[in-house]
């Protein structure tokens, strides 16, 4: 209960004692009725719909009851008042009795034919009568109907005002008293003046306007009350309990007759029954209009009108009518925030208005309204904020105000308020009924948060306000399905990672399970689990994108920003983090691969001897050329990264696909600039961006493999052809005992020749006048996956050992071993002769066999046979040696780029920034792969890095 909305008690305790006595008596009389009412309410759920009637719907014999918001027939000798909100006695009749809602009229006798001004008595007039049957005095005089003690006179008097000095008096606007000219009205603060009088008039006289005014003061007090019963809400609840015998209005037990409806029950904890028990009787379709209406009251309790909710009656932020109307299109998540000037609020909202908001469920002649339950987050119950915690503790209420500049005026209503209260956040929420296919929703919830602004410098002070309409559904089933998919696919990925680990152990020739094995398993599992998270999140985003946008009658709603999207965003983050680990793991593997170029060229005979009589040396340029070509294909890909980014940005930003990620039911790609643009859904934004990126990437891969590689150029096959023409084979060892072999031995015997001979050799090969290029006779297979024995690997390492010592600590370097260049040259020739002899079966203890891989071996990527005595060369027509290049890891790179682009966009909400940073990331890793890969190539092939251009 706000400390600045308080009332000063009257000086006399008589009013308070009388009020308390009457209230206590009424409580004792109707205690049983109250108990039965509450008991009935707790046992049964109600659909709180009422008949929709406006004052204009009432006939000439009816008045509009502002308490029950319905038309009520006037009694005999009565007519509808000018406002239409009450009945009054016809001319010549006085009010005999009243209970606030109805009156009884009695005709005045002939000796006293006039009716007094208050309508409760009859009196003899000194002059003529008005059309309303009351006494009429001449101009400049006032009508007096009571003496100074307040007793009624037998005959009214007309007394002339003294306009001369020093009195300077004149009749007031009502003609019933003098007022000094000029005068400044001095009044007390609103609560001090009206609280107890309104409560007394409501309880004793059942004055409908006073009851509404009391309810409004409770709303000003944030619907808060405690054990103290003399504040606004305490007095309201006292009267509510005291008038239980009067029954309810509109068959709603919470709505007492003659009182405004302010609470759902008299205790917290009924919110779940109200909000999630019975759905609305009508379903909603996407793009349909939400019809909300509000009964509007002023501070004094007068009913003003029924208003259609829209425009600026609940939305404080100024905007165009078209944009504000978008808030009430079903399915459109509306969010508007602005900063308002306190000076403007004081000027525009001199006095607060109060709104009872309803959903209009009218269909033809059946006009029904559903009250909107209100969750006031500032509401206190026994000094605790009860609406900020669990749903089961909420205390729902009715009636809201937007700006209160009245109750904060301390001395007079004309003074500047010390503090004002403003609805800084208004949110209307719709919850979809689980399993519905017809767009059924539970009763909407109106949530309001108020902020108090201490007035110090109103011309410079500002306050931030927001208005939102949101839609939600229970995501439990969706989360459960996602968890099941994660569990199943995660389990499969564990098994697949174990197979990869077993394959890796076999390929490195180590049977032991150690820390390195566990670490390798975790690295494999990170990559496989990243794929699981990726495909589940993409599938989830695509599911929401398709089913949310394509539905007519609502069956699914988007996850809300915040808690409902947190899990999804966490999954995306996990996918990106794990995929980054896998990408870096593969990058490190590629940068440390062992590679050697086997030169089959041998010196020519006597015709090519030098002047000294020795054969001419074999040219190294062919090896340099092949090494440069290998260096160039290290970072080629099956897609164009630049085209990929430009195409995605073109579709999203130029064509307008980004509009599909907005939180509304529209599927239009282009939106008028003057229309409302709702916030983006992170789920839709991710699903859209990832789908477009993957689709464009897959289209590029299909075009590259089906057209470009066939009709333009295939750099992988070209490299294999280059090796054959250059008479150079390539040995690649990605693991200690596993790798790839490209057989480039020329079928012509020599490649170090002139142009004429080269052309003759190529022509002979084209006309099948020479042998085939394959490793085995009469075969064309040049590429192999190889599993080598540990003996072969040890010999390979032994040849390179002097170079390893040279790159190690200086104390291990043999000073007598010669110049490093000589060491490299010697090691190169030794390795070239050794590997050439192995391929030529010159070492019986290092033999190999050639065979085809089994289908299942190719599927799981694991060799069943372990090379014990002989190495195994597996025929590989798919050129899988590209696995040590970017080219053979396009799937990993494509998913990594997709996740990088999406994660940047989710964080920055900018596709353009995401595209730029993705391009920068690609260039950085490409430079790293090229730079370190060139160095590794020079170290492993013993080719001078200066010749790698």
């Amino acid at each position: 209960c706000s400390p600045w909305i308080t009332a000063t008690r009257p000086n006399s305790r008589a009013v308070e004692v009388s009020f308390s006595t009457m209230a206590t008596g009424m409580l004792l009389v109707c205690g049983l009725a109250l108990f039965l009412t509450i008991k009935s309410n707790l046992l049964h759920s109600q659909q709180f719909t009422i008949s929709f009637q406006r004052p204009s719907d009432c006939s000439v014999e009816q008045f509009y009851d502002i308490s029950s918001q319905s038309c009520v027939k006037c009694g005999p000798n009565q007519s509808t008042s000018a406002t239409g909100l009450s009945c009054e006695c016809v001319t010549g009749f006085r009010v005999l009795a009243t209970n606030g809602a109805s009156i009884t009229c009695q005709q005045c006798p002939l000796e006293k034919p006039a009716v007094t001004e208050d309508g409760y008595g009859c009196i003899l007039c000194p002059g003529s009568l008005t059309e309303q049957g009351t006494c009429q005095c001449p101009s400049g005089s006032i009508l007096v109907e009571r003496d100074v003690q307040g007793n009624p006179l037998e005959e009214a008097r007309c007394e002339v005002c003294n306009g001369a000095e020093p009195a300077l008096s004149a009749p007031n606007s009502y003609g019933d008293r003098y007022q000094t000219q000029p005068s400044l009205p001095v009044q007390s603060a609103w609560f001090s003046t009206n609280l107890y009088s309104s409560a007394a008039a409501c309880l004793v006289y059942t004055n409908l306007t006073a009851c509404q005014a009391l309810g409004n003061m409770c709303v000003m007090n944030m619907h808060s009350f405690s054990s103290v019963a003399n504040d606004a809400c305490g007095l309201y609840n006292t009267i509510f309990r005291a008038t239980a015998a009067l029954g309810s209005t509109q068959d709603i037990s919470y709505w007492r007759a003659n009182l405004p409806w302010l609470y759902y029950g008299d205790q917290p904890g009924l919110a779940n029954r109200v909000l999630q028990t019975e759905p609305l009787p009508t379903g909603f379709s996407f793009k349909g209009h939400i019809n909300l209406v509000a009964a509007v009251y002023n501070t004094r309790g007068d009913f003003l009108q029924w208003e259609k909710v829209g425009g600026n009656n609940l939305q404080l932020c100024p905007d165009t009518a078209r944009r504000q109307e978008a808030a009430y299109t079903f399915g459109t998540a509306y969010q508007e925030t602005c900063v308002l000037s306190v000076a403007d609020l004081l000027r525009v909202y001199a006095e607060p208005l109060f709104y009872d908001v309803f959903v209009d469920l009218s269909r033809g002649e059946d006009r029904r309204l559903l009250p909107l339950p209100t969750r006031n987050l500032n509401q206190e119950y026994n000094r605790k904020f009860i609406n900020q915690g669990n749903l089961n503790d909420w205390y729902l209420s009715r009636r809201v105000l937007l700006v209160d500049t009245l109750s904060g005026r301390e001395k007079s209503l004309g003074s500047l308020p010390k503090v004002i209260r403003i609805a800084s956040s208004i949110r209307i929420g719709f919850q979809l009924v689980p399993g519905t296919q017809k767009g059924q929703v539970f009763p909407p919830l109106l949530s309001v948060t108020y902020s108090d602004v201490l007035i110090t410098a109103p011309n410079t002070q500002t306050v931030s306000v927001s208005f939102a309409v949101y839609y939600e559904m229970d995501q439990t089933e969706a989360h459960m399905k996602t968890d099941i998919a994660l569990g199943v696919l995660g389990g499969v990925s564990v098994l697949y990672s174990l197979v990869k680990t077993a394959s890796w152990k076999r390929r490195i020739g180590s049977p032991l399970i150690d820390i390195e094995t566990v670490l390798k398993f975790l690295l494999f599992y990170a990559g496989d689990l990243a794929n699981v998270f990726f495909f589940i999140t993409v599938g989830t985003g695509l599911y929401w994108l398709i089913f949310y946008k394509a539905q007519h009658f609502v069956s699914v709603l988007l996850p809300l920003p915040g808690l409902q999207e947190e899990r999804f965003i966490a999954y995306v983050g996990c996918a990106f983090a794990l995929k980054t680990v896998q990408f870096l793991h593969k990058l490190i593997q590629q940068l440390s691969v062992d590679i050697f170029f086997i030169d089959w060229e041998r010196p020519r005979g006597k015709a090519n001897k030098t002047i000294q009589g020795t054969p001419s040396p074999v040219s190294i340029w062919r090896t340099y050329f092949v090494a440069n070509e290998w260096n160039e294909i290290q970072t080629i890909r099956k897609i164009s990264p630049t085209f990929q980014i430009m195409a995605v940005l073109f579709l999203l930003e130029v064509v307008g696909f980004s509009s599909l990620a907005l939180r509304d039911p529209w599927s239009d790609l282009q939106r008028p600039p003057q229309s409302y643009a709702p916030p983006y859904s992170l789920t839709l934004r991710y699903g859209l961006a990832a789908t477009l990126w993957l689709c464009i990437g897959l289209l590029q891969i299909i075009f590259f493999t089906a057209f470009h590689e066939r009709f333009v150029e295939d750099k992988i096959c070209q490299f294999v052809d280059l090796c054959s023409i250059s008479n150079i084979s390539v040995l690649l060892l990605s693991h200690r005992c596993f790798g790839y072999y490209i057989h480039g031995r020329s079928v012509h015997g020599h490649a170090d020749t002139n142009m004429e001979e080269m052309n003759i050799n190529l022509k002979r090969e084209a006309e099948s006048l020479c042998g085939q290029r394959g490793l085995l006779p009469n075969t064309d297979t040049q590429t192999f996956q190889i599993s080598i024995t540990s003996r072969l690997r040890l010999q390979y390492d032994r040849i390179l050992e002097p170079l390893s010592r040279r790159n190690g600590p200086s104390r291990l370097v043999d000073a007598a071993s010669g110049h490093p260049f000589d060491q490299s040259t010697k090691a190169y020739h030794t390795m070239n002769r050794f590997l050439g002899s192995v391929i030529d079966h010159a070492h019986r203890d290092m033999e190999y066999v050639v065979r085809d891989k089994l289908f299942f071996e190719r599927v799981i990527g694991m060799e069943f046979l372990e090379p014990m005595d002989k190495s195994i060369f597996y025929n590989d027509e798919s050129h899988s040696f590209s696995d040590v290049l970017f080219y053979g890891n396009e799937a990993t790179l494509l998913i990594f780029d997709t996740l990088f682009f999406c994660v940047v966009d989710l964080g920055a909400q900018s596709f353009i920034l995401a595209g730029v940073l993705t391009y920068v990331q690609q260039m950085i890793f490409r430079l790293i792969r090229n730079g370190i890969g060139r160095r590794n190539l020079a170290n492993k092939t013993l080719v001078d890095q200066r010749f790698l251009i």
Side-chain angles (χ1 to χ4, degrees):
C1 202
S2 177
W4 55 271
I5 304 183
T6 56
T8 304
R9 297 192 180 191
N11 294 330
S12 173
R13 292 180 51 86
V15 175
E16 183 177 350
V17 173
S18 174
F19 178 78
S20 300
T21 302
M22 289 183 289
T24 303
M26 296 289 285
L27 282 173
L28 294 176
V29 171
C30 53
L32 179 60
L34 174 63
F35 173 78
L36 293 176
T37 301
I38 296 176
K39 191 69 175 179
S40 173
N41 175 67
L42 292 176
L43 293 177
H44 299 88
S45 172
Q46 301 182 37
Q47 182 62 266
F48 302 113
T49 59
I50 66 173
S51 177
F52 183 19
Q53 292 181 319
R54 303 173 183 266
S56 58
D57 298 330
C58 300
S59 65
V60 294
E61 298 178 349
Q62 294 177 319
F63 77 99
Y64 191 77
D65 187 349
I66 64 175
S67 173
S68 63
Q69 296 173 348
S70 61
C71 297
V72 179
K73 185 176 182 180
C74 294
N77 303 317
Q78 299 173 20
S79 63
T80 307
S81 65
T83 62
L85 302 180
S86 62
C87 291
E88 60 184 13
C89 296
V90 298
T91 302
F93 285 76
R94 72 181 182 95
V95 177
L96 179 64
T98 179
N99 64 354
S102 63
I103 60 175
T104 303
C105 298
Q106 182 185 53
Q107 187 173 13
C108 289
L110 295 178
E111 60 273 14
K112 294 182 179 180
V115 181
T116 56
E117 290 287 337
D118 60 10
Y120 284 86
C122 296
I123 197 169
L124 181 63
C125 293
S128 59
L129 301 180
T130 63
E131 294 181 357
Q132 292 77 28
T134 59
C135 298
Q136 184 176 15
C137 289
S139 177
S141 59
I142 64 171
L143 178 65
V144 178
E145 296 178 335
R146 295 177 181 269
D147 59 21
V148 293
Q149 284 82 25
N151 299 316
L153 300 175
E154 292 295 327
E155 181 179 358
R157 300 194 305 266
C158 291
E159 295 187 1
V160 180
C161 300
N162 183 9
E165 293 184 2
L168 295 175
S169 63
N172 67 354
S173 59
Y174 298 101
D176 60 356
R177 65 183 62 186
Y178 305 118
Q179 66 180 15
T180 303
Q181 300 291 332
S183 69
L184 294 175
V186 177
Q187 302 180 18
S188 62
W190 182 261
F191 272 69
S192 299
T193 304
N194 298 287
L195 178 58
Y196 291 103
S197 60
S198 298
C202 177
L203 178 63
V204 179
Y205 298 105
T206 320
N207 186 293
L208 300 184
T209 304
C211 292
Q212 297 294 329
L214 177 63
N216 291 341
M217 284 184 271
C218 180
V219 175
M220 290 181 181
N221 229 13
M222 301 292 95
H223 294 86
S224 302
F225 61 90
S226 61
S227 57
V228 180
N230 61 353
D231 59 3
C233 295
L235 294 174
Y236 169 87
N237 281 280
T238 299
I239 297 175
F240 184 90
R241 292 188 293 268
T243 57
L246 298 180
S248 60
T249 295
Q250 300 279 10
D251 296 327
I252 299 176
S253 58
Y254 306 138
W255 196 347
R256 182 72 74 242
N258 304 326
L259 291 178
W261 179 11
L262 296 187
Y263 297 98
Y264 283 82
D266 65 340
Q267 294 291 330
L270 300 179
N272 190 54
R273 297 172 182 263
V274 176
L275 297 176
Q276 297 181 350
T277 300
E278 187 173 353
L280 268 62
T282 182
F284 287 89
S285 62
F286 264 168
K287 307 174 187 177
H289 192 269
I290 304 170
N291 295 315
L292 299 181
V293 294
V296 187
Y297 297 83
N298 63 15
T299 313
R300 291 171 292 278
D302 297 321
F303 173 81
L304 301 181
Q305 61 183 343
W306 281 99
E307 282 187 3
K308 179 181 177 181
V309 174
N312 57 359
N313 47 13
L314 286 185
Q315 296 163 262
L316 293 173
C317 293
D319 207 341
T320 62
R322 178 175 180 176
R323 292 171 59 85
Q324 289 182 331
E325 191 65 21
Y328 307 103
T329 300
F330 190 85
T332 299
Y334 187 89
Q335 177 72 46
E336 188 176 29
T337 302
C338 63
V339 177
L340 301 178
S341 168
V342 171
D344 292 340
L345 293 175
L346 292 173
R347 176 177 53 83
V348 176
Y349 299 94
E351 141 179 345
L353 295 179
F354 299 83
Y355 299 88
D356 287 345
V357 186
F358 299 83
V359 181
D360 189 355
L361 304 176
S362 300
R363 290 184 177 180
E365 297 297 327
D366 184 18
R367 307 184 67 186
R368 305 291 296 174
L369 296 179
L370 175 78
L372 249 70
T374 300
R375 176 193 176 196
N376 187 340
L377 276 80
N378 297 74
Q379 182 176 347
E380 295 182 36
Y381 186 85
N382 289 331
R383 301 186 179 278
K384 293 182 180 180
F385 292 103
I386 56 174
N387 288 336
Q388 298 181 6
N390 188 275
L391 169 65
N392 295 323
D393 297 328
W394 291 357
Y395 196 173
L396 299 181
S397 57
R398 293 274 300 149
R399 189 165 292 189
V400 297
L401 61 87
L402 299 184
V403 181
D404 179 11
T405 63
L406 179 64
S407 58
R409 303 178 189 268
E410 287 187 315
K411 298 179 180 179
S412 67
L413 297 179
S415 62
L416 187 70
K418 181 178 181 181
V419 65
I420 66 172
R421 175 168 284 163
I422 185 171
S424 56
S425 174
I426 297 179
R427 304 177 75 235
I428 302 176
F430 291 81
Q431 184 174 4
L432 195 67
V433 175
T436 182
Q437 299 294 325
K438 299 181 179 179
Q440 285 190 300
V441 297
F442 290 117
L445 175 65
L446 177 63
S447 300
V448 187
T449 302
Y450 292 92
S451 297
D452 296 340
V453 180
L454 182 65
I455 303 300
T456 55
N459 291 328
T460 59
Q461 286 182 278
T462 58
V463 59
S464 177
V465 298
S466 65
F467 178 84
V469 180
Y470 66 95
Y471 303 84
E472 63 177 328
M473 65 176 291
D474 188 1
Q475 300 289 334
T476 303
E477 184 178 358
H479 290 164
M480 180 181 66
K481 292 180 178 179
T482 303
D483 292 341
I484 292 175
L486 276 176
V488 173
L489 296 179
V492 173
S493 66
V494 170
L495 298 178
Y496 189 40
S497 300
L498 287 173
V499 172
K500 285 183 177 180
T501 306
S503 174
W504 172 78
K505 291 293 291 183
R506 176 159 294 181
R507 289 178 176 183
I508 67 172
S510 172
L512 300 177
I513 298 179
D514 49 12
I515 298 298
E516 185 183 8
T517 305
V518 176
L519 179 61
K520 207 69 176 181
F521 166 76
L522 294 177
L523 290 174
F524 287 136
Y525 185 54
D528 295 332
L529 192 58
N531 294 333
V532 171
F533 277 115
F534 176 73
F535 288 111
I536 285 180
T537 53
V538 172
T540 301
L542 192 59
Y543 166 82
W544 289 114
L545 182 63
I546 294 175
F547 285 92
Y548 176 73
K549 292 287 184 177
Q551 62 187 339
H552 178 64
F553 283 100
V554 186
S555 59
V556 294
L557 290 173
L558 293 174
L560 286 178
L563 291 177
Q564 290 190 349
E565 280 190 332
E566 278 183 357
R567 178 179 296 194
F568 179 81
I569 301 302
Y571 289 166
V572 175
C574 290
F576 175 67
L578 294 173
K579 183 57 67 173
T580 302
V581 172
Q582 182 192 27
F583 171 70
L584 294 176
H585 176 219
K586 289 197 171 187
L587 182 64
I588 293 172
Q589 282 184 317
Q590 292 186 10
L591 295 176
S592 59
V593 65
D594 291 318
I595 181 171
F596 191 83
F597 298 119
I598 307 172
D599 191 353
W600 296 103
E601 195 74 14
R602 297 293 179 262
R604 295 293 186 100
K606 296 181 180 180
N608 294 318
K609 288 184 178 181
T610 62
I611 297 176
Q612 289 77 11
T614 60
S616 59
V618 175
S619 174
I620 194 63
W621 289 107
R622 290 172 298 100
T623 302
Y624 286 170
F625 184 59
V626 173
N628 271 285
E629 287 301 312
W630 176 263
N631 186 51
E632 289 183 6
I633 67 173
Q634 288 191 102
T635 56
I636 66 167
R637 295 181 57 176
K638 296 180 181 179
I639 67 171
S640 169
T642 303
F643 175 81
Q644 175 81 13
I645 295 173
M646 298 302 295
V648 170
L649 292 181
F650 176 79
L651 292 176
L652 288 172
E653 298 294 346
V654 179
V655 179
F657 274 82
S658 61
S659 298
L660 297 177
L662 296 174
R663 302 182 68 89
D664 64 11
W666 308 100
S667 300
D668 302 331
L669 298 183
Q670 299 295 334
R671 306 290 182 94
Q674 65 273 18
S675 64
Y676 172 74
Y680 284 98
S681 165
L682 296 183
T683 304
L684 294 185
R685 198 174 177 98
Y686 172 83
L688 177 66
T691 301
L692 284 179
W693 192 282
L694 290 177
C695 288
I696 294 176
L698 291 176
L699 289 176
Q700 283 201 80
I701 293 174
I702 293 173
F703 172 81
F704 189 83
T705 55
F707 178 80
H708 188 271
E709 288 185 345
R710 289 190 178 187
F711 304 106
V712 182
E713 65 174 348
D714 183 351
K715 290 190 176 183
I716 301 299
C717 289
Q718 286 178 352
F719 180 78
V720 177
D721 291 339
L722 177 64
C723 290
S724 296
I725 295 173
S726 303
N727 201 18
I728 291 178
S729 295
V730 182
L731 179 70
L732 297 161
L733 294 177
S734 58
H735 299 73
R736 181 178 178 274
C737 296
F738 179 85
Y740 309 91
Y741 173 68
I742 302 174
H743 186 64
R745 193 169 192 174
S746 175
V747 296
H748 310 291
H750 296 279
D752 198 359
T753 183
N754 57 32
M755 181 183 294
E756 182 180 2
E757 186 176 356
M758 178 67 72
N759 289 332
I760 293 174
N761 291 338
L762 292 176
K763 183 177 180 180
R764 291 181 60 206
E765 190 172 357
E767 295 175 355
S768 300
L769 299 178
C770 58
Q772 295 175 287
R773 294 182 176 181
L775 175 62
L776 299 179
N778 301 320
T779 63
D780 288 325
T781 305
Q782 294 179 261
T783 54
F784 303 87
Q785 294 182 9
I786 60 175
S787 293
I788 63 176
T789 62
S790 296
R791 186 182 300 110
L792 176 58
R793 179 67 197 208
L794 289 173
Q795 183 61 28
Y796 181 92
D797 294 337
R798 189 177 296 116
I799 296 173
L800 296 178
E801 186 178 5
L803 299 181
S804 302
R805 289 203 304 267
R806 185 189 69 189
N807 298 327
S810 58
R811 58 185 175 84
L812 299 178
V813 177
D814 186 2
S817 59
H819 193 273
F821 179 77
D822 296 333
Q823 288 182 334
S824 298
T825 303
K826 181 179 179 181
Y828 170 78
H829 290 296
T830 304
M831 182 68 74
N832 194 68
R833 289 192 300 269
F834 168 69
L835 293 178
S837 62
V838 171
I839 299 299
D840 286 339
H841 300 278
H843 296 273
R844 292 188 176 183
D845 57 343
M846 297 183 189
E847 281 288 343
Y848 66 91
V849 294
V850 180
R851 62 183 296 270
D852 290 326
K853 257 192 173 183
L854 299 176
F855 173 77
F856 196 59
E857 286 180 311
R858 292 197 301 269
V859 170
I860 66 175
M862 179 180 178
E863 299 75 36
F864 294 158
L865 296 178
E866 188 173 356
M868 302 299 294
D869 299 324
K870 294 182 179 181
S871 300
I872 305 174
F873 281 41
Y874 295 97
N875 293 315
D876 179 27
E877 297 180 356
S878 60
H879 297 163
S880 60
F881 68 87
S882 61
D883 287 349
V884 299
L885 308 172
F886 272 5
Y887 183 90
N889 294 274
E890 188 57 58
T892 300
L893 294 173
L894 183 63
I895 295 176
F896 176 73
D897 289 343
T898 304
L899 287 169
F900 187 91
F901 179 86
C902 292
V903 167
V904 173
D905 173 67
L906 291 179
Q909 296 284 289
S910 172
F911 290 122
I912 296 178
L913 178 62
V916 171
L917 293 183
T918 302
Y919 178 79
V920 172
Q921 167 263 128
Q922 291 173 342
M923 292 300 101
I924 290 175
F925 283 114
R926 184 176 180 179
L927 290 174
I928 293 174
R929 180 66 179 83
N930 274 329
I932 303 180
R934 182 187 297 110
R935 184 185 306 170
N936 179 71
L937 180 63
N939 292 335
K940 300 299 176 61
T941 62
L942 307 178
V943 172
D944 197 315
Q945 189 173 351
R946 291 173 292 180
F947 294 99
L948 298 177
I949 303 174

